[in-house]
Amino acid sequence: MQPLAPPAGRPHLTPLMTFPGYQPSTPDLALALAGGGARGAYQVGALAALAEGRPDLNPPILTGVSAGAINTSYLAAHRGSFADGVAGLRREWARLTPDQVYRVRPVNLVGNALRWTVRLLMGRRGDPGSVQGLMDVSPLRKFLEECVDLSGIADNVATGKLRAAALTTTSYTTGQTVTFMQCVPEIPIWERVQRIGVRAELSLDHVMASAALPLVFPAVRLRDGFYGDGSVRLIAPLAPAIHLGAQRIIAIAMRSSRSFASVPVQQTREYPATAEVMSLLFNAVFLDSLDADAERLERINRVLESCRTGVVESLRPIKLLMLRPSRDLGALSRGLEASLPHNLRWIVNSIGGRREGSSDFVSYLLFDPSYTNQLVELGYEDTRRDWERVEEFLDG
């Protein structure tokens, strides 16, 4: 990978360090990082290109959900420059392997299935039993404990480097989308239909909760109940950044623009495999909301522009830069199923994981350098290739 040279006339700058009174060069800029499991590596490549092309860049508003919450928490807690933080995040992803994210125990899976069957056959009432995640994610928690010092968020807010860091979760008690935010005092909390903002000192529990895909990863207890992956009911992924004061948002999507093109329908006589259904479900959870929200935001911007008044009630125009893959990230995982841990590979194959339509499901779980390094490379090259549009947005 060739480093991205700074634009003509823009020399490399010495990385900015935090100090009292520091003011970001882009005080209204937010970074919104979506979820997507192992696909989160694509974000790291895109961020690397941004940091190399603009070494003075420092987005003061950082929001994330699921895998994006992991990347967000690392950057928000890093006490050095944004470029240094991205470089560190890239190093951590380079050494990440599946056994540092989860463990799969077939005995636990069989035991859960037997308990469900027995309760169903016996018609037992009362406590129906619960599955605290089909996978053990204690390795991920240990990995994050070693590489992320979340006390750095408070320091960065205090010194003015950071205005706000926000991680989005789903409450299993209320069904609401809850965004926990650590920010400067003047930012108000918000409450909308099925989504609220809550002030909190962000911890590893908030990170793990945001990334806890229901049934697959165990829920996490926070304050008044259990919380899971924030992508599940997140209908407005860009809203947290807007509530936190952003006028401009850089959002990194996980869906290729080619995914929107019409695809010829091929007849099939085979019933869809479980892995194919899971691919559809995961795509709905992680990919659909960001694209829909971006479309909605652009439509509001056009309405405001047509009014020419600058203000319509409480609305304001928000500039959005969407960075997205040039290739299908699911398709890149095809043929790499052997990189999954043995137990997980056995399970995936047993539910139809070898079918072409199951590649998306596999891609979310493929935390292996054979796959994630490809995504980092692709994110870097895509952003570099689109640099003229990036520059126009940052200078606009």
Side-chain angles (χ1 to χ4, degrees), residues 376-389:
V376 172
E377 180 83 19
L378 181 63
Y380 182 96
E381 294 298 338
D382 284 346
T383 306
R384 179 177 182 177
R385 191 179 303 112
D386 207 16
W387 191 250
E388 183 176 346
R389 188 169 68 97

Side-chain angles (χ1 to χ4, degrees), residues 33 35 39 42 49 82 90-91 112 161 197 199 225 281 381:
L33 301 181
R39 296 183 180 207
Y42 179 86
F82 178 72
R90 185 174 171 182
R91 286 193 297 270
N112 285 326
K161 176 190 174 186
R199 292 184 181 277
L281 174 62
E381 294 298 338

Side-chain angles (χ1 to χ4, degrees), residues 16-83:
L16 295 169
M17 299 303 292
T18 58
F19 56 89
Y22 168 68
Q23 293 297 322
S25 58
T26 51
D28 63 347
L29 180 64
L31 192 63
L33 301 181
R39 296 183 180 207
Y42 179 86
Q43 295 174 348
V44 179
L47 292 171
L50 288 172
E52 287 185 8
R54 282 293 186 91
D56 59 335
L57 184 67
N58 178 61
I61 301 172
L62 303 176
T63 70
V65 58
S66 197
I70 294 175
N71 292 336
T72 293
S73 63
Y74 186 97
L75 296 175
H78 186 77
R79 291 180 170 85
S81 69
F82 178 72

Side-chain angles (χ1 to χ4, degrees), residues 18 62 69-81 85 147-157 161-162 165 182 202 207:
T18 58
L62 303 176
I70 294 175
N71 292 336
T72 293
S73 63
Y74 186 97
L75 296 175
H78 186 77
R79 291 180 170 85
S81 69
C147 68
V148 182
D149 178 9
L150 290 172
S151 66
I153 297 178
D155 292 343
N156 289 334
V157 171
K161 176 190 174 186
L162 187 67
Q182 190 166 350
L202 296 180
V207 181

Side-chain angles (χ1 to χ4, degrees), residues 301-361:
N301 283 343
R302 288 195 295 271
V303 170
L304 293 175
E305 176 65 21
S306 67
C307 293
R308 300 289 185 181
T309 62
V311 177
V312 176
E313 295 180 354
S314 61
L315 300 179
R316 68 180 189 274
I318 306 293
K319 294 184 178 180
L320 175 65
L321 175 65
M322 284 280 285
L323 302 177
R324 63 172 69 252
S326 59
R327 301 176 63 184
D328 186 327
L329 301 188
L332 290 177
S333 70
R334 291 173 189 161
L336 298 177
E337 295 86 354
S339 300
L340 292 170
H342 174 74
N343 290 339
L344 180 58
R345 186 168 69 249
W346 176 81
I347 295 170
V348 169
N349 288 341
S350 68
I351 61 174
R354 293 183 180 275
R355 291 192 186 181
E356 183 176 339
S358 304
S359 59
D360 280 343
F361 172 58

Side-chain angles (χ1 to χ4, degrees), residues 51-202:
E52 287 185 8
R54 282 293 186 91
D56 59 335
L57 184 67
N58 178 61
I61 301 172
L62 303 176
T63 70
V65 58
S66 197
I70 294 175
N71 292 336
T72 293
S73 63
Y74 186 97
L75 296 175
H78 186 77
R79 291 180 170 85
S81 69
F82 178 72
D84 285 345
V86 171
L89 181 62
R90 185 174 171 182
R91 286 193 297 270
E92 298 301 341
W93 270 91
R95 72 185 185 91
L96 191 63
T97 56
D99 63 325
Q100 292 173 304
V101 179
Y102 52 72
R103 283 193 293 262
V104 182
R105 297 188 175 96
V107 172
N108 291 354
L109 297 180
V110 173
N112 285 326
L114 288 175
R115 281 194 292 273
W116 288 340
T117 303
V118 169
R119 290 179 179 275
L120 179 64
L121 294 176
M122 297 181 64
R124 292 181 59 181
R125 298 183 179 181
D127 179 16
S130 61
V131 179
Q132 298 183 4
L134 299 180
M135 296 182 182
D136 174 11
V137 291
S138 58
L140 176 60
R141 189 180 188 94
K142 180 180 179 181
F143 181 87
L144 294 177
E145 285 175 344
E146 294 173 353
C147 68
V148 182
D149 178 9
L150 290 172
S151 66
I153 297 178
D155 292 343
N156 289 334
V157 171
T159 57
K161 176 190 174 186
L162 187 67
R163 275 184 55 80
L167 307 180
T168 299
T169 67
T170 301
S171 169
Y172 284 174
T173 303
T174 65
Q176 289 179 308
T177 296
V178 182
T179 298
F180 292 98
M181 57 181 184
Q182 190 166 350
C183 57
V184 294
E186 58 266 28
I187 294 179
I189 62 174
W190 67 87
E191 184 168 357
R192 299 291 186 271
V193 176
Q194 286 300 317
R195 55 187 176 90
I196 62 173
V198 176
R199 292 184 181 277
E201 182 177 339
L202 296 180

